Amino acid sequence: MAMELSSLRCQMAPLIVLFCVLLAGSVKALPALPGMDRVRWQVDRANRRGPSIGLVMSYVAEDTALQASGYFRPWPVQPFVDLYGRRFHIGSIRGVNVIYALTGQRRLNAAVTVQTLIDVFSVSGIVHYGTAGSSNDSMSFGDVSVPKLVAYTGAWTWKKYKSLKESSTELSFAQFNIPNGGDNLLGSLKYRNEELYSVGKPMEEVFWLPVDSAWFQIAEGLKVNLERCNDTFCLPKTPQVVHGLKGASADMFLDNAEYRNFLFREFGVSTIDEESAAVVMTTTSPGVPVIVFRGVSDLAGGEPTWSSTSLMNLASINALKVTVEFIATIGRQKSTPSVQSSNN
């Protein structure tokens, strides 16, 4: 009997080893920090549903719009995972697996959150939505921009006083003197490129970052009816979805009409925010699909006082409506497995 049991153990040993290898491989690498064992188990269970769309937003108002909409349905088995101080909500939108997180403001928070989604969870792409200031007078409050290109315009070389001009897009402070004319001791700013590290490619310096071309093409075909009114205000006309414009991001909240006009004049950007470039750059490095939806909530300086407060939630709702329709379309095209199939 003892020999038979010993023989059985020897036969099962390879199966046990194989099971352990498969189990370990199903959980993406997480550091050996206190309390991480339970998190690993939760992440593994979430990933067993199959690939999800990673959805990120930056402001609490944008998160609130999603929660109040009823579009997102938490996964009853495990509705969230708390990791690195953030809550990653597990669920679905229109039958498509979704994991969403509030990143917090500015590019470091956005990049860290997106990198965590890519590294830890099984995601097939990243969708970023939220509000933005408009630097393009042809865009109105409540409109939703789907930019094709975004840039980080907050990296500068601050040049010495009376330095020679090196680029056609330098910002010279003397141009904004009042009264006009004369020099300015602040000199000028030269905009810098970003260093992009991508899989299988040498580092390259880039200024413009494109969203995923296939996803952008899908977004161009969306038909969405946007909201014109909220509880406190009605816009004079129904907002629209605008495709193919440029967006700019920087680690600052822009509330200055002159600089707003400068960015539009020199770079042709139509929306201004703090996170989009970081989201796109973080996903571009590993080649993960990404797209951005930004609702116009203000004019980045010089607008009526009611715009930023009364219309921020309307801009969030409209950006969310386009986002939801996009995710649903992705699901219909079977780019991402449905929740029903992944739970079987």
Side-chain angles (χ1 to χ4, degrees), residues 53-59 62 66 88 98-103 109-110 113-115 117 126-130 275 279 290-291 293-294 323:
I53 294 291
L55 177 62
V56 292
M57 68 290 297
S58 306
Y59 282 86
E62 298 157 359
L66 176 59
F88 294 85
V98 170
I99 300 175
Y100 92 82
L102 176 67
T103 67
N109 278 326
T113 307
V114 171
Q115 193 69 59
L117 274 168
I126 300 294
V127 177
H128 177 45
Y129 88 91
E275 300 84 18
V279 172
V290 64
I291 196 160
F293 302 103
R294 287 282 184 167
T323 298

Side-chain angles (χ1 to χ4, degrees), residues 28 59 67 69 78 113 142 169 174 179 239 243 259 291 324 330:
K28 295 190 177 184
Y59 282 86
Q67 293 185 21
S69 68
Q78 180 181 297
T113 307
T169 53
H243 304 88
Y259 189 59
I291 196 160
V324 168
I330 290 288

Side-chain angles (χ1 to χ4, degrees), residues 153-342:
T153 54
W156 312 315
T157 295
W158 203 310
K159 300 175 66 176
K160 293 180 179 179
Y161 175 56
K162 288 192 175 182
S163 293
L164 294 177
K165 189 173 183 179
E166 303 173 62
S167 169
S168 60
T169 53
E170 290 185 7
L171 187 154
S172 171
F173 288 96
Q175 293 178 326
F176 303 95
N177 287 346
I178 297 178
N180 295 332
D183 292 330
N184 191 303
L185 293 177
L186 289 175
S188 60
L189 301 177
K190 177 185 176 182
Y191 288 83
R192 302 180 61 179
N193 293 332
E194 293 290 282
E195 294 181 348
L196 177 63
Y197 292 84
S198 301
V199 176
K201 298 179 182 179
M203 185 277 290
E204 57 180 328
E205 292 191 359
V206 299
F207 187 77
W208 294 108
L209 295 159
V211 301
D212 184 79
S213 58
W215 276 19
F216 180 80
Q217 189 174 14
I218 293 172
E220 283 187 303
L222 299 178
K223 304 296 182 183
V224 185
N225 295 320
L226 301 182
E227 300 294 332
R228 189 172 72 90
C229 302
N230 61 14
D231 293 337
T232 60
F233 190 82
C234 276
L235 295 168
K237 63 178 183 177
T238 301
Q240 60 183 343
V241 183
V242 184
H243 304 88
L245 302 179
K246 295 177 181 178
S249 301
D251 284 338
M252 60 181 179
F253 183 86
L254 180 56
D255 191 21
N256 184 279
E258 288 301 320
Y259 189 59
R260 161 192 182 268
N261 294 334
F262 172 86
L263 289 175
F264 179 72
R265 183 174 65 251
E266 299 296 332
F267 297 108
V269 299
S270 295
T271 54
I272 300 168
D273 62 66
E274 301 178 42
E275 300 84 18
S276 293
V279 172
V280 174
M281 187 169 181
T282 304
T283 55
T284 299
S285 290
V288 174
V290 64
I291 196 160
V292 174
F293 302 103
R294 287 282 184 167
V296 174
S297 62
D298 61 87
L299 295 180
E303 72 283 351
T305 56
W306 45 260
S307 65
S308 59
T309 54
S310 300
L311 293 180
M312 184 170 184
N313 77 317
L314 184 59
S316 298
I317 290 170
N318 281 343
L320 176 60
K321 291 190 70 171
V322 183
T323 298
V324 168
E325 189 57 41
F326 175 81
I327 292 174
T329 303
I330 290 288
R332 286 194 294 270
Q333 296 187 0
K334 298 183 179 179
S335 298
T336 300
S338 69
V339 172
Q340 288 79 6
S341 61
S342 65

Side-chain angles (χ1 to χ4, degrees), residues 113-151:
T113 307
V114 171
Q115 193 69 59
T116 301
L117 274 168
I118 294 172
D119 288 346
V120 175
F121 295 96
S122 177
V123 294
S124 57
I126 300 294
V127 177
H128 177 45
Y129 88 91
T131 59
S134 171
S135 54
N136 183 344
D137 288 336
S138 67
M139 295 196 70
S140 303
F141 296 123
D143 286 351
V144 176
S145 174
V146 189
K148 196 170 188 177
L149 297 169
V150 295

Side-chain angles (χ1 to χ4, degrees), residues 15-66:
L15 295 176
I16 295 173
V17 171
L18 177 61
F19 174 76
C20 292
V21 169
L22 290 174
L23 181 62
S26 65
V27 182
K28 295 190 177 184
L30 285 171
L33 299 174
M36 291 302 290
D37 287 343
R38 177 170 176 78
V39 173
R40 287 190 186 93
W41 177 77
Q42 291 177 331
V43 168
D44 177 64
R45 185 160 64 170
N47 286 341
R48 287 180 186 276
R49 301 187 316 151
S52 299
I53 294 291
L55 177 62
V56 292
M57 68 290 297
S58 306
Y59 282 86
V60 172
E62 298 157 359
D63 183 15
T64 302
L66 176 59

